[in-house]
Every structure is written in structure tokens, then in C-alpha cells.
Amino acid sequence: MKRALTVVTVVLGVVAGMSGVGAAAPVIPPLLPPVPGVLPTNEDPFYAVPTEVGSESNGTILRSRPVASLYLNLPMPVDAWQLLYKTSDSHDAPTATVATVMVPRTPWPGPGPRPLVSQQMFEDSAGLQCAPSYALRVGYSAPGNATQADQNIQRELANGWAVVVPDYQGPRSQFLAGPIGAHSVLDGVRAARAHGPAGLSADAPLGLSGYSGGAVATAWAAELQPEYAPELTLSGVALSGWPAQFQAVAHALDGSPFFGFLIAGFIGLDRAYPEFGLTDFLNDRGRAVLADAASDCLNDLLVKHPFAHIAEFSSVPNPFTEPRGVQLLDINSLGQRIPHAPIFEFHTTGDEVAPLAQADAVLDTYCAAGAAVDRVRTPGEHVTGILLEVGPTTNYLADRFAGKPAPSQCP
């Protein structure tokens, strides 16, 4: 029987093994029984993309239902809904995905309307059952309960803000595919604001936030917002542990304890861009690994393949250094457009998954074009950053919602 485990448990166990500290295997919580009445995402007809979806405008709500939301395994004191809404994929073809909208039951004291934050959880997986919308309904029963490590939602709701959490990888779990992530985020905001029972104002301050893989979708949304959703005004965008330039990130992951991220990215990009023929570069072992991982959550991928090298699975030294691979990573890397919204980026200086230098390089591009960029740097690694970024990112958004001028730390 497969086991569910948090990213923190996996990584700390691997690091302990590397350092010689704690020889015993990490304690891994077993997968809990399914929550009664909640179908797994890949079995739930609510998620099915309607055949006539192409006739609708982006952000149109196609289905909705009230749900109960859990954080870890505790009920959240909110009213919550799932929305299936129209969006578009990385080739602008029509599709649909789901977002979870949560509104605190306590009245908003003001001033102004209740703010809305789109929080992109770090799904980073290959299976639809790993989607945030499912994890938010079943807590630790979810096979992808790593998404529950995103504590920002609790802090944002405690601040009285409404929160929308999109399944930004789409119905085919296209991890790291930039445009579909951006479209899903922006159309999720449109859908949340249009959902009458949520009671959100079109004038509400709007923020975006995400860590790691969630920061990729968040940054893509910020870059595409001026052309894709010009009617949305972003008060602020908070990025943390940000993988921005994928060549640098792929190099850092190869041979590392976090190699599973690279498998998830390979699967996601190949699904989004089959015309690039990434699988042509795989050897027999590589094809078997991808077939086995086709519906894995990040938890499984990290445990199955620590310290692997991409050369073990390919007929060339590295598919991502082949011309087609280079082009594909470049298409989906950040820094190709300049966000109009002020940007905050939190990063631990020892981040081994998303090295600091590659994030700073893109932020410098934003700065050179006149964007307001604030940066916080603190000691730590990628995993510790999950805990350290919560306060700074929510405080940054609170200041933007309050109308305070955005600080900037540009060279």
C-alpha cells in the first residue's frame, strides 16, 4: 500500500541520512481512510471538462458546489466552494480547471472591501488526485498531502481575507507549464469574484502568492496579467523559494535528493508540449520510470528517486541540453515579460532546489524595466523556507492592501 508523507518528512529524512544524524528511518504517517462522501479527484465527475467549454469566456463558472475545507485535518471556519471554470492551456486551447474559494465567516471590518488572495499551493505532481482542491477537502487523507504544508492560507484567512486556491496545473497535471498556470490563476480570480455566494467585490484589493512550484504559477500570472486579464489590478505579488530559470534549476536538481521534482517537470512539460518530443530522448529505463510515475504525487517521486541522474534515464547525456530541450525550458522560464504589480521575493540563501542566483537574475530584469521589487534573504534551505516565508509574505500583502507604498530594493 502506498504511503502518504509530507515533503518536510521526506527531505529531513534524506538530509539526516546524508549527515549521519539520526540513523533510523523517518517516521512516515500512513495514508488515512478516505473521507466519507468525497470522491478522489480522478473519479469525481465534477472535474470533467464539458465538451462545449470552448464557447464560454475565460473565467466563466461551469459548475459550483459548497464544500467543507480542512487544514491538515482540522475544519477551517470558513464558507467554501469549489468552482469548475473555463480557462485556456499553454497553446490557448479551451479547457477547464477547479478552484477552491474560501471566505471567513466573520464580517470584514474594513476599511474598504474584503481583500482576495490567490494562493498557489505547491502541487508539483503528475496525478490529478494530487490537486489542491482535493487536499483541502480531505486533509491528511489526500495522497498529495504535501500541499497541506502551505500555511499561508491559514494566515490569510486569519487576517480576514478571502482566498482562492486554483488547481493551476489543469486537468492533465501539467507541472511547470507556464501559460496554463498563469491562465488558471487569473481565470480563477475572475471566477471567484463572479461567484455570488462568496460576496466578493470587484473593487477588492487583489494579491497573488505562492511558494516553490506555486511561485512559478504566481510569477507567470503576474507577467501575463497585463495582456491576459487587464481588468484585474494586482495590489501585490509575493513569491517565495522561486524557481525562475529552469536550466539552472534542472542543473541543481540533477543528482540531488530532490530529483523527483525533475521527473514531475519532465512529465508536465511533455504533456503540455508533446510537439517537442521529450520522450524521444529516453532509454528503456526512462520510459519505464515515466510510465510508473504518470500519476504520482510529489511525495512518491521524492522517495522513489533521490540522488538519481537524468543521464540514467536517457539516450543522450541530458535531454534538457539538447536544442529542443533548451527551447522548451526557455519558453517556460520567467523574465520574458515585466509585471505591472509590485513584487516581493523571499528566498533562503542555501536553497538547493531553486538556487538564489537564478531568482535574483530575473528580479534584476524586472528592476531594470522599472518594476518595484522587494527582496528578503535569510539563512536556510528550500524546506525551511516553507516555514520562514509565511510571516514576511502575508505582511507584505497586508501593507499593499492597506495602500502603503511598495518598497523596492533594486540595484
Side-chain angles (χ1 to χ4, degrees), residues 204-279:
L206 175 60
L208 308 180
S209 181
Y211 189 88
S212 192
V216 175
T218 301
W220 261 98
E223 288 195 11
L224 285 189
Q225 175 272 321
E227 62 185 78
Y228 188 82
E231 81 282 7
L232 300 180
T233 300
L234 301 179
S235 299
V237 175
L239 311 171
S240 302
W242 182 29
Q245 294 183 327
F246 290 168
Q247 280 290 352
V249 173
H251 179 75
L253 293 174
D254 197 25
S256 79
F258 303 92
F259 186 82
F261 282 109
L262 203 53
I263 296 178
F266 193 104
I267 292 172
L269 290 173
D270 182 61
R271 287 174 179 170
Y273 300 90
E275 67 273 18
F276 279 80
L278 276 186
T279 55

Side-chain angles (χ1 to χ4, degrees), residues 12 35 39 42 64 76 87 108-109 126 130 185 188 192 226 228 256 263 273 288 294 319 351 353 358 403:
L12 292 183
V35 173
L39 290 173
N42 51 352
S64 66
M76 295 190 194
T87 188
W108 171 248
C130 319
V185 170
Y228 188 82
S256 79
I263 296 178
Y273 300 90
D351 194 320
V353 173
Q358 53 86 40

